[in-house]
Amino acid sequence: MKLTLLAVGRKMPAWINSGFETYARRISDEWTLRLIEVAALKRSGAESPETLRAREAGLIREKIPPGSYLVALDENGKSCTTRDLSRKLQKWQDNATDICFLIGGADGLDRALIDEAFEVLSLSTMTLPHGLARVMLAEQLYRAWSILKHHPYHRD
């Protein structure tokens, strides 16, 4: 199964890139986790956050792998446990579905893009820096994978 994290923002701090890569590498060859970055648009005050989110949504849509099951990450999305996530991943794998997770930029994702997603999940009810959300998602995907593989990484 192919997992794609499509995120707004480039030139993340080294610790963000290192954290993401650490967990992406740990997932076996049976699954792959790759990152596609979309450049964040400059915030100058000349355009509203809504306009910027809509323009970023256009850039995101261009990069979504064809046929992917879209999962938007949003602080107002549905919370799930790691075990819930592992069950979702198992279902998606059983259906031979490739997944594309979407993480917005500093102002989040455009409402229309959220509405296009099949699922909207929340990593936390707290507002997170979008770079940190990458690392947290990668870790949770690895943890969910470890549950399915009965790997000792996850402990209840």
Side-chain angles (χ1 to χ4, degrees):
M1 178 167 60
K2 293 178 186 169
L3 306 171
T4 301
L5 172 50
L6 207 164
V8 174
R10 292 189 175 154
K11 298 181 183 176
M12 290 287 126
W15 68 269
I16 296 281
N17 295 328
S18 176
F20 177 85
E21 287 301 321
T22 295
Y23 293 110
R25 276 193 310 271
R26 289 183 183 185
I27 294 174
S28 80
D29 290 339
E30 152 184 4
W31 291 6
T32 59
L33 173 58
R34 72 178 177 140
L35 173 65
I36 298 175
E37 294 177 313
V38 173
L41 299 175
K42 294 188 188 240
R43 269 94 178 127
S44 65
E47 290 181 283
S48 70
E50 294 79 19
T51 301
L52 289 166
R53 280 193 301 265
R55 288 182 50 217
E56 285 175 345
L59 299 173
I60 290 169
R61 282 185 189 95
E62 292 174 5
K63 302 283 186 176
I64 295 172
S68 291
Y69 186 87
L70 292 182
V71 178
L73 294 175
D74 184 80
E75 64 187 11
N76 297 311
K78 181 181 175 187
S79 295
C80 70
T81 67
T82 304
R83 287 215 175 266
D84 292 338
L85 180 60
S86 70
R87 285 188 282 273
K88 287 177 183 294
L89 288 164
Q90 183 65 63
K91 182 177 115 182
W92 296 331
Q93 182 177 11
D94 291 347
N95 292 323
T97 304
D98 291 335
I99 312 303
C100 183
F101 295 93
L102 306 175
I103 295 179
D107 296 311
L109 287 169
D110 182 60
R111 182 79 245 166
L113 193 55
I114 291 171
D115 291 343
E116 291 170 28
F118 295 106
E119 295 197 40
V120 183
L121 299 178
S122 172
L123 291 174
S124 172
T125 54
M126 293 183 227
T127 301
L128 301 173
H130 51 281
L132 182 58
R134 295 178 187 197
V135 178
M136 289 179 64
L137 177 62
E139 191 279 337
Q140 285 299 295
L141 291 170
Y142 172 66
R143 188 175 292 272
W145 172 86
S146 72
I147 289 170
L148 295 174
K149 297 301 173 186
H150 309 288
H151 187 281
Y153 179 75
H154 180 75
R155 292 172 177 80
D156 283 321

